[in-house]
Amino acid sequence: TEQLVDFSVPRSIINGAPSSVMNLVLYDDDRFFQPKTSLSDKEKIVSPVVSLNVSGIDSSRLAEKVNVSLHHPDCAENLTCSYECVYWDYVQESWSSDGCTTMAATSTSKTTCQCSHLTNFAILASFDPKHHAHTEELSTVSLVCGIISMIGLGLTCIIIGMFKKLRGLTAMKITFCFSASMF
């Protein structure tokens, strides 16, 4: 089995609580955490949502930061992905990164967060298509080839239309209709 979450809570936080009971809830996905305004098409929660809580302390402002590492799927080859640590803001009813720092990823499928509060944490991925080095050149070649194709189709229609002998042949009628529809 794959380990989905690693976390470390400083001893001072646990020792400062009158009753050191730590609660951990792991949600498979973000279905219980749907923002008022939906995420963009290029953003998605990609990790399980983990809820951390220590009873008897104010978990909104911790003296020391908590480390939470969450596992998530690798980025697809045709995309550039950036990962951000977020938590569920119950007041705004949305994902927020306030109070959380995204540390360097230890691997492509694990991101570590350092946060000054305890709540529901997840990894938000932003996706962008990879840009190829020769995008401008490929666009120019595509444009030139498109223009050449249009000229060829136009000439085909003109030549078939000019010669009465060609217009009478069934194959030429089909070719003419096909060329005219593509033009």
Side-chain angles (χ1 to χ4, degrees):
T1 58
E2 183 183 344
Q3 189 172 347
L4 298 175
V5 62
D6 301 316
F7 65 93
S8 65
V9 177
R11 188 171 299 281
S12 62
I13 293 173
I14 297 171
N15 290 341
S19 62
S20 298
V21 176
M22 181 179 292
N23 300 306
L24 173 85
V25 178
L26 187 64
Y27 301 92
D28 284 335
D29 54 42
D30 64 334
R31 108 180 60 159
F32 299 115
F33 305 94
Q34 295 302 312
K36 278 183 185 178
T37 57
S38 55
L39 299 171
S40 78
D41 293 342
K42 294 182 178 184
E43 293 179 317
K44 181 180 178 186
I45 297 295
V46 292
S47 71
V49 178
V50 62
S51 175
L52 290 173
N53 181 325
V54 177
S55 61
I57 65 164
D58 177 14
S59 61
S60 63
R61 291 199 176 134
L62 301 175
E64 292 183 64
K65 293 190 176 194
V66 174
N67 290 324
V68 180
S69 296
L70 294 166
H71 292 259
H72 50 79
D74 290 336
C75 189
E77 286 184 28
N78 62 337
L79 297 173
T80 301
C81 298
S82 61
Y83 300 103
E84 182 179 22
C85 296
V86 292
Y87 74 95
W88 182 252
D89 185 333
Y90 283 99
V91 175
Q92 299 295 323
E93 293 183 32
S94 65
W95 292 103
S96 174
S97 61
D98 296 340
C100 285
T101 305
T102 304
M103 307 306 285
T106 54
S107 73
T108 57
S109 63
K110 180 180 175 182
T111 302
T112 301
C113 310
Q114 197 172 59
C115 300
S116 61
H117 51 77
L118 295 176
T119 185
N120 300 303
F121 301 102
I123 303 298
L124 176 69
S126 298
F127 307 101
D128 283 318
K130 284 188 179 175
H131 297 288
H132 297 284
H134 304 290
T135 304
E136 191 173 320
E137 290 86 356
L138 290 173
S139 295
T140 303
V141 168
S142 296
L143 179 64
V144 169
C145 289
I147 290 170
I148 292 170
S149 295
M150 296 298 283
I151 291 169
L153 287 171
L155 286 174
T156 301
C157 289
I158 290 170
I159 290 171
I160 292 173
M162 285 176 49
F163 297 103
K164 193 173 190 175
K165 231 182 197 182
L166 290 176
R167 281 184 283 171
L169 299 172
T170 304
M172 287 301 136
K173 289 178 182 176
I174 293 171
T175 303
F176 178 79
C177 289
F178 182 70
S179 296
S181 69
M182 293 201 49
F183 190 70

